[in-house]
Amino acid sequence: MQVIANASQWVGKTFSIWAIVSAVLGFLFPEFFASFAKFIVPILGIIMFGMGTTLKTSDFVEIIKRPKPVIIGLLAQFTLMPLIAYLLTVVFKLDPMIAIGVILVGCCPGGTSSNVITFLSKGDVALSVSITSISTVLAPILTPLLLQLFAGELINIDLANMMLSITKIVIIPILLGLLCHKLLGDKVSVVEDALPLVSIFGIALIIAAVVAMSRDTILTSGILVFVVVVLHNTIGYVMGYVIAKLSGFDETQRRAIMVEVGMQNSGLGVALASLYFSPIAGLPSAIFSVWHSVSGALLANFFAHKDKDAV
């Protein structure tokens, strides 16, 4: 079991590399990797189940113990990222289907990798886990409603079915994971050890599949989409930190909220795009998965050097 744990840790630390490799492979071998598109939803469900096995009721109690930073983090997550996404689609006059994809990823909850990046950035991990957990639980309601608000003029949003889909893809697997943790107790540590390995393999496969299906769009608009994604992620980081600072939070809390705001559950964005829109709409989420892995690692390195210089 220690071998699995060590392998998971190593793969987790090098995720940005695997994300880039998977995108390149999907681009070079589109016929092969496009065939995995039908597994996007089940893969995300498995990842969410794994997330559920790592959660505890204390992760949700944090909002009672420390309501202000959790609520500020959630409000920033679900207001800033959709708004930034919408403004970017207007400024860059994006193709409607790509614009929907950009707004979609902005409306998604925080990503699980944000907890790892917060830890590496020496941020408040408990706060990060709480915001991720609660934003994920709120996603079936807030993600479709926000998408309707910011992208309703571009396409008809099937609110009821999308809410049901997110519940099936995210909430039910997480609840099953929580139940598994409750019933098995410490025995579930085997799953926890393997979780980073499974999650990263799954996300890498999703990235490769979306890149493969969107190869023609990448050739014509790939650079523009990449620029928009980088700006979306970066502005999210900066605004998250600024709002946390203005709210009077300490440095560890600022870093946690910064990362939570800037990093999205882009896997959910890909899954929803594949179910309700088109592979092209999933492209911003796929690129976001690659980029926020890179930017998260850079952010952690920045704070590591900053803390070292401050000593």
Side-chain angles (χ1 to χ4, degrees), residues 211-224:
V211 169
M213 291 186 294
S214 309
R215 190 174 186 274
D216 291 341
T217 304
I218 293 172
L219 289 172
T220 56
S221 308
I223 294 176
L224 177 60

Side-chain angles (χ1 to χ4, degrees), residues 82 86 103 107 143-153 157 159:
Y86 174 76
I103 295 171
C107 296
T143 296
L145 288 176
L146 289 168
L147 191 60
Q148 174 67 49
L149 176 65
F150 289 102
E153 63 183 25
I157 311 296
L159 284 176

Side-chain angles (χ1 to χ4, degrees), residues 24 37 41 53 119 127-128 159-160 167 179 184 190 202 214 260 299-300:
V24 171
V41 172
T53 64
F119 171 75
L127 176 60
S128 174
L159 284 176
T167 301
L179 180 62
L184 298 179
V190 177
S214 309
E260 283 301 315
L299 194 65

Side-chain angles (χ1 to χ4, degrees), residues 150-173:
F150 289 102
E153 63 183 25
L154 297 175
I155 197 168
N156 181 49
I157 311 296
D158 190 342
L159 284 176
N161 278 332
M162 186 173 288
M163 288 177 179
L164 183 60
S165 293
I166 298 175
T167 301
K168 290 178 180 177
I169 297 169
V170 176
I171 303 301
I172 292 176

Side-chain angles (χ1 to χ4, degrees), residues 208-241:
V210 173
V211 169
M213 291 186 294
S214 309
R215 190 174 186 274
D216 291 341
T217 304
I218 293 172
L219 289 172
T220 56
S221 308
I223 294 176
L224 177 60
V225 178
F226 178 75
V227 169
V228 169
V229 165
V230 171
L231 287 172
H232 191 190
N233 174 238
T234 304
I235 296 171
Y237 283 148
V238 173
M239 292 301 295
Y241 188 90

